[in-house]
Amino acid sequence: MKKLPGGRGRILSLGFAFGLIMSSAGCAKTINFETSTVEPAAVGKVKLKKDNNRNYSVDVSVMHLANPQRLTPPMDKYVVWVETGTDEIKNIGRINISTGTFTRTLKGSLKTVTVHAPARVFITAEPAGDISHPGTPVVLTTEKF
């Protein structure tokens, strides 16, 4: 292999490797939740990635969600839902909020896999986590994607 002057060969090799890494990482999509009218301080994002088996890895992370027992009316759990491309709505899991004495950010997360192709992700506060239909109000939501 012919050496390029000034170390350009190494730079080109590193650039090519970086391009390969970035193209494989490009399969993941990150979507931010919209500002909530129910809990305006709440922020979060959803990372989606389709795997080789046509499943979808869903990684939800949120901050500044109030303890659901402090809502009016008090609730027990935050539930994450996906709206599919066929307008079906599926419960994909619960978010538990860290509410310890020294926890000020009230963080929560959910990592799961679903066979349903998400078109929108949203979170509701619910009296139980194992329900099949979302209640109101919607605490956080993404736009359709």
Side-chain angles (χ1 to χ4, degrees):
M1 181 173 188
K2 184 177 176 184
K3 255 188 161 178
L4 294 175
R8 289 186 195 158
R10 184 171 182 224
I11 292 171
L12 288 174
S13 295
L14 289 173
F16 180 72
F18 180 74
L20 281 176
I21 292 168
M22 293 308 291
S23 67
S24 66
C27 297
K29 180 191 285 191
T30 300
I31 303 104
N32 290 322
F33 283 108
E34 297 177 344
T35 302
S36 173
T37 57
V38 177
E39 293 190 50
V43 294
K45 63 185 174 185
V46 179
K47 290 183 183 177
L48 298 172
K49 185 173 182 181
K50 187 174 182 180
D51 67 18
N52 293 338
N53 295 323
R54 297 187 183 164
N55 293 318
Y56 295 86
S57 170
V58 182
D59 184 356
V60 176
S61 59
V62 294
M63 289 177 42
H64 309 299
L65 275 180
N67 184 322
Q69 285 85 21
R70 291 185 166 209
L71 298 175
T72 305
M75 295 291 176
D76 188 50
K77 301 281 183 210
Y78 286 108
V79 178
V80 180
W81 306 86
V82 293
E83 181 179 332
T84 68
T86 59
D87 293 331
E88 291 180 88
I89 297 176
K90 302 291 182 182
N91 177 338
I92 61 166
R94 298 181 300 269
I95 292 182
N96 292 316
I97 303 301
S98 56
T99 57
T101 306
F102 299 106
T103 305
R104 297 180 190 264
T105 57
L106 300 170
K107 294 180 182 180
S109 64
L110 170 70
K111 291 182 182 185
T112 190
V113 175
T114 181
V115 298
H116 307 288
R120 180 172 74 109
V121 177
F122 62 100
I123 300 171
T124 59
E126 303 290 350
D130 58 351
I131 59 175
S132 58
H133 301 291
T136 56
V138 173
V139 177
L140 284 170
T141 186
T142 65
E143 291 183 354
K144 282 200 172 187
F145 43 85

